[in-house]
Amino acid sequence: MTDEQSAGGNGQESNDGTNPLSPTKVGGMLEQEPNQGGNTGEWRPGDKLNSEYIIEQKLGSGGFGITYLATNSQGAQVVIKTIKKELQLNPEFNFEKFKADLPNEALRLGKCQNAHIVKVYPDIFYDKEMPCIVMEYIRGKGLNKWVRERDDFLPEEEAIKYIKQIGDALICAHSQKPAILHRDVKPTNIIISEDGDKAVLIDFGIARELNPDVQFSTILATPHYAPVEQYYQKPPQGTYTDVYALAATLYFMLTKHAPEDAGNRGSQVLNQEPDTLTPPKQINPNISDTVNKAILLGMSISAKERPQTIQDFLNLLQSADTTDKSSTAKGNQLLIKTALMGAGFWLLAVALLKGSADPSFSGFILLAGVSCLVLAQIKNRLTLELKIYQCLSVVLSTLIAFSYIWLQKGSGITLTVIAELSFQEVGFFALLVAVLASVLIFVGQIISNQVDDW
């Protein structure tokens, strides 16, 4: 599996959701000789920094940052992040500001101790005036590649598992005093561990502390994943800003498509034109209605219409998970209760048909039949239509059992045949009727296209 780690920055996302400047674009080992002179270009394999770190290879670069894989003096692999050196020569780039921002990123990350946030080490140093921060090296793959390299869509359950983990990371950041907004949640800023068990949020490069009295001075937004308020200085940003990006990331995970850019959508809404965001369920029909609605709500153009916190958004996804489990439980409950009704109805019918031929046997069967019917009615809160299906299934399966017995005995439709059934035969046909009744109601539900209503 490819080892990837983001460099950060505000690169431009392409239409397929990947980032041509993406930090998760990994180059191979560099073949140049180690630098012998000044620090005028990128670091090369073998370069030694701060008398502590040996550069192994460049991992990737974003709009502002660049990352390298390095080994420390104890032999452990780490990631070193710094500012792209060519930006120093760009007169439009405020190098001094970003020179201060990088250590601040380390400080912000240091405050957020969470299993799903990349760890930053306290060793901040400078190399030829270039600030450097040291982070943990995560063996894994960028979420964008993790999704795109699949032959099929990512299962909804797996996607939600990762989103909940990243949501937990964002909740940790938002709970700081003051709250820290990430502002750049997207597939290329999420690493999936090698074993596929954990998602880790990286790159707090444009994260900022939330101060309601201070507007953000710079406009930084990743197309497709940033909400409309990040395209302007005036609209306030809040925890709902990261909600949009998290919902957009889930959109990509389940569809393999980057969603329509919020800037374009916002212009269309202002012009009273229809929103051009394609509902994810239209791309991937396997997405549940609940998750589809949650994504669309999280990606609302108006910040007021979105869930206001990450937890609010996760609750919508949790309700989807609960709904699915509840539907399955109700479906299983219907089959079990129908089976009990079938067995009870059969036993009751046999007891009445046996009559006085064997009073003790008939009494035992009658008691067993009534018990099954009582159990079937406990919390049997079905709609009238389902109860009708249930009764029809029970009666039909009982008639099938009687017909089979009469055909096997070859004596025609007589009550004497039923009266002569042994204890084992009565029990066998009770089980058969129970199974038949469950199968019939299941088939009936499929035919009536009401399985989803269970």
Side-chain angles (χ1 to χ4, degrees), residues 27 37 50 73 124-125 145 158 165 340 344 358 375 377 399 413:
N50 203 38
S73 57
I124 301 174
F125 65 93
K145 288 189 177 182
E158 185 176 357
Q165 292 178 355
L340 285 170
D358 189 347
L375 288 173
Q377 294 308 311
L399 290 176
I413 302 175

Side-chain angles (χ1 to χ4, degrees), residues 252-263:
F252 167 77
M253 292 171 72
L254 293 173
T255 66
K256 293 188 175 183
H257 286 73
E260 179 70 23
D261 183 66

Side-chain angles (χ1 to χ4, degrees), residues 191-242:
I191 300 292
I192 304 298
S193 61
E194 267 188 327
D195 58 8
D197 188 57
K198 186 169 76 169
V200 180
L201 181 63
I202 59 177
D203 190 3
F204 277 61
I206 66 170
R208 293 293 183 270
E209 292 181 344
L210 180 60
N211 186 337
D213 299 324
V214 178
Q215 294 182 356
F216 295 118
S217 59
T218 54
I219 298 175
L220 296 172
T222 299
H224 307 290
Y225 297 98
V228 69
E229 62 264 24
Q230 278 187 250
Y231 287 83
Y232 307 96
Q233 289 182 341
K234 187 175 181 180
Q237 298 180 30
T239 54
Y240 46 79
T241 300
D242 285 341

Side-chain angles (χ1 to χ4, degrees), residues 145-215:
K145 288 189 177 182
W146 179 269
V147 171
R148 291 200 169 280
E149 289 178 0
R150 295 180 59 95
D151 294 328
D152 54 355
F153 289 118
L154 192 68
E156 184 177 285
E157 182 179 359
E158 185 176 357
I160 290 177
K161 179 186 78 170
Y162 294 138
I163 286 296
K164 285 181 178 179
Q165 292 178 355
I166 299 303
D168 184 57
L170 291 170
I171 289 172
C172 176
H174 294 172
S175 66
Q176 302 304 312
K177 303 295 183 184
I180 297 174
L181 300 184
H182 188 279
R183 303 203 303 158
D184 202 19
V185 178
K186 58 185 178 183
T188 53
N189 279 344
I190 297 171
I191 300 292
I192 304 298
S193 61
E194 267 188 327
D195 58 8
D197 188 57
K198 186 169 76 169
V200 180
L201 181 63
I202 59 177
D203 190 3
F204 277 61
I206 66 170
R208 293 293 183 270
E209 292 181 344
L210 180 60
N211 186 337
D213 299 324
V214 178
Q215 294 182 356

Side-chain angles (χ1 to χ4, degrees), residues 7-56:
N10 184 38
Q12 294 294 307
E13 295 280 335
S14 63
N15 289 332
D16 66 356
T18 58
N19 188 336
L21 295 177
S22 172
T24 55
K25 293 275 185 183
V26 177
M29 289 292 293
L30 303 179
E31 300 297 332
Q32 299 97 322
E33 292 296 321
N35 280 338
Q36 302 298 324
N39 187 15
T40 57
E42 294 184 351
W43 295 320
R44 299 173 181 174
D47 286 352
K48 191 168 187 178
L49 307 179
N50 203 38
S51 302
E52 168 76 12
Y53 304 100
I54 303 296
I55 297 297
E56 291 188 19

Side-chain angles (χ1 to χ4, degrees), residues 247-405:
T249 298
L250 180 56
Y251 184 108
F252 167 77
M253 292 171 72
L254 293 173
T255 66
K256 293 188 175 183
H257 286 73
E260 179 70 23
D261 183 66
N264 297 334
R265 294 174 58 209
S267 299
Q268 291 160 345
V269 171
L270 286 175
N271 293 329
Q272 297 184 335
E273 297 175 3
D275 190 346
T276 55
L277 178 65
T278 303
K281 192 175 178 66
Q282 289 187 18
I283 302 173
N284 177 4
N286 297 322
I287 298 174
S288 66
D289 290 336
T290 307
V291 170
N292 184 69
K293 291 176 182 177
I295 292 173
L296 294 176
L297 189 62
M299 294 185 65
S300 297
I301 290 297
S302 171
K304 293 180 180 179
E305 295 178 3
R306 292 178 221 146
Q308 295 300 288
T309 68
I310 295 294
Q311 189 59 61
D312 290 341
F313 178 67
L314 295 183
N315 288 342
L316 296 178
L317 301 179
Q318 183 65 37
S319 68
D321 186 46
T322 303
T323 299
D324 292 341
K325 290 180 180 178
S326 175
S327 297
T328 301
K330 287 181 179 179
N332 293 336
Q333 188 181 64
L334 176 62
L335 296 180
I336 292 171
K337 289 185 177 296
T338 303
L340 285 170
M341 281 189 66
F345 187 78
W346 160 260
L347 292 171
L348 197 62
V350 170
L352 294 174
L353 291 175
K354 271 183 172 291
S356 59
D358 189 347
S360 60
F361 187 24
S362 298
F364 176 78
I365 296 174
L366 181 64
L367 180 61
V370 171
S371 298
C372 287
L373 290 174
V374 170
L375 288 173
Q377 294 308 311
I378 296 176
K379 294 184 179 180
N380 191 11
R381 299 164 185 168
L382 300 178
T383 62
L384 178 61
E385 186 175 7
L386 278 177
K387 287 182 178 179
I388 292 173
Y389 278 128
Q390 198 175 49
C391 291
L392 288 175
S393 299
V394 167
V395 172
L396 184 57
S397 58
T398 303
L399 290 176
I400 291 173
F402 278 136
S403 300
Y404 178 79
I405 292 171

